[in-house]
Amino acid sequence: MKVPYNYLPYEFKNPYPIFNQWKKLIKSTQFTLGPYIEKFEKEFAKYVGVKHCISTNNGTDALILCLKSIGISPGDEVITVSNTFYASVGAIVSCGATPVLVDCDNRYQIDVNLIQKAITRKTKAILPVHWGGASPDMIKINKIAKKNKLFVIEDACMGIGAQLNKKRPGTFGIANAFSMHPLKTLNVMGDGGMVVTNNDKLANWIKKFRNHGMTNRDNIEIWGENKRLQPLQAIVASHQLKKVKKTIQQRNINASYLDRKLKELFPNVILPPRKKNNVEAFALYMGLFKNRDKLMKYLLKSGIDVKIHYPKPLHLQRAAKNLNYKKGSFPVSEKQARKLLTLPVHQYLSKKHLNFMLNKIKLFYR
Ligand SMILES: *Cc1c(COP(=O)(O)O)cnc(C)c1O
């Protein structure tokens, strides 16, 4: 038996509903912006529960747009978490600002108790990440931000489908970013992203900047860039959005089952605490596993496609050299890099797949 990590072959098994829409688009030749983009943006804004959605090229561009819209520029510091995907930090650097990292907690989320200490006179914003599809304590983060007069920008790239206190990621910060990369819970056939905000002024600026700073064909108001989503992908996105509720439900069913069974293997397996007020999207199902590297080899050999997010901590990457962090700077993140394993949890796995995986893990520790 094989337990695949990649669910995309199942996800797009029946592409004909998408093809039918694509045919209409091709006939219309509206290949940039246009009605399919606007339709998806409306749908997604409604899904999140915000006023505005501006679709983008990808999640990284969405982050950059958020940061630029609040004026993040050289000399500014932006606080984010040390165990995120490179793009959270890359987006800050791309605005010419300095990323300031903070360690994570045992839920793999930014440790809110370490944020205040990281704030300096140069700090302009906090960029918390909904890592793996779980949510950091956004209430506390917003309190800290308010007290220190900082902006909050959510990196909700993995957060589609999650809920915190019945509110969706994307409703806590002033402008917030999502990704539709093929490995996220809402995925298109390539790259895609969105910014969401309730702020009219920021929404207008982002919309303009995303499209060369044009107000119309013959007038530009600011020097912008081209960060538009492809209408071909907007069609895929609308199609996928209809399925997302089911996707998250099934991922939660799978994750609860794994939780229940893996808890029996404590302390060889240590799972993150699950918060009652946080519905997780389970973009990643992670745990800390004793003898991780050996277990990983064994599982891969057994046909179970496990991953590590990530084996080399971000602050120890060559790109991060100028940030002057060293080994020991973020002990929790570093421990996770040594022990963490990501198991397949996606919506196309059957109980058989999960039991096969669980049995192999049990066998390993016996
Ligand atoms: C995927 C991801 C991004 C980047 O999104 P892209 O669409 O790949 O550019 C940024 N931050 C986090 C936390 C992500 O998981």
Side-chain angles (χ1 to χ4, degrees), residues 208-227:
K208 222 180 288 161
F209 191 88
R210 174 194 64 172
N211 192 27
H212 305 295
M214 294 195 292
T215 45
N216 55 49
R217 189 181 168 281
D218 300 324
N219 292 290
I220 69 158
E221 214 166 88
I222 50 172
W223 297 117
E225 291 179 20
N226 175 355
K227 295 183 187 293

Side-chain angles (χ1 to χ4, degrees), residues 58-61 63 84-85 87-88 129 131 155 157-158 179-181 184 191-192:
N58 55 57
T60 308
D61 275 346
L63 278 169
T84 181
F85 180 58
S88 321
V129 179
W131 184 237
D155 180 342
C157 283
M158 286 203 204
S179 166
M180 298 190 287
H181 178 276
K184 316 285 176 175
D191 282 306

Side-chain angles (χ1 to χ4, degrees), residues 40-255:
F40 171 66
E41 289 178 340
K42 269 199 200 115
E43 289 165 355
F44 192 72
K46 190 171 164 218
Y47 175 78
V48 173
V50 287
K51 222 164 145 188
H52 307 283
C53 166
I54 304 103
S55 60
T56 62
N57 241 346
N58 55 57
T60 308
D61 275 346
L63 278 169
I64 294 171
L65 282 168
C66 290
L67 290 165
K68 289 201 171 187
S69 74
I70 55 162
I72 297 297
S73 50
D76 295 339
E77 288 179 1
V78 178
I79 294 172
T80 192
V81 64
S82 55
N83 68 328
T84 181
F85 180 58
Y86 319 124
S88 321
V89 174
I92 298 168
V93 173
S94 172
C95 297
T98 305
V100 173
L101 303 181
V102 163
D103 209 352
C104 62
D105 60 19
N106 61 353
R107 297 176 61 242
Y108 321 125
Q109 307 303 319
I110 190 166
D111 186 338
V112 290
N113 298 312
L114 299 176
I115 294 176
Q116 186 66 48
K117 254 196 314 202
I119 295 171
T120 72
R121 282 204 338 253
K122 292 180 180 167
T123 310
K124 279 272 169 63
I126 309 173
L127 187 110
V129 179
H130 295 262
W131 184 237
S135 297
D137 186 348
M138 290 308 308
I139 315 300
K140 184 90 180 274
I141 292 168
N142 274 343
K143 261 189 203 151
I144 297 168
K146 197 171 173 197
K147 191 176 134 208
N148 294 278
K149 298 197 169 67
L150 304 176
F151 291 109
V152 172
I153 304 279
E154 289 170 72
D155 180 342
C157 283
M158 286 203 204
I160 298 176
Q163 274 178 291
L164 183 65
N165 295 336
K166 303 250 155 73
K167 282 174 69 182
R168 298 238 178 247
T171 57
F172 298 94
I174 185 156
N176 312 298
F178 292 93
S179 166
M180 298 190 287
H181 178 276
L183 288 176
K184 316 285 176 175
T185 41
L186 174 74
N187 46 58
V188 292
M189 294 182 180
D191 282 306
M194 323 48 130
V195 172
V196 300
T197 179
N198 281 317
N199 185 301
D200 299 342
K201 227 173 110 187
L202 293 188
N204 279 334
W205 186 90
I206 290 167
K207 227 172 173 171
K208 222 180 288 161
F209 191 88
R210 174 194 64 172
N211 192 27
H212 305 295
M214 294 195 292
T215 45
N216 55 49
R217 189 181 168 281
D218 300 324
N219 292 290
I220 69 158
E221 214 166 88
I222 50 172
W223 297 117
E225 291 179 20
N226 175 355
K227 295 183 187 293
R228 300 181 298 243
L229 178 70
Q230 306 286 330
L232 280 165
Q233 300 294 4
I235 285 172
V236 182
S238 286
H239 176 77
Q240 294 293 90
L241 189 58
K242 286 187 214 137
K243 301 196 292 187
V244 80
K245 192 174 164 194
K246 268 207 170 136
T247 299
I248 301 302
Q249 266 172 1
Q250 192 55 48
R251 280 176 182 240
N252 270 275
I253 290 169
N254 292 350

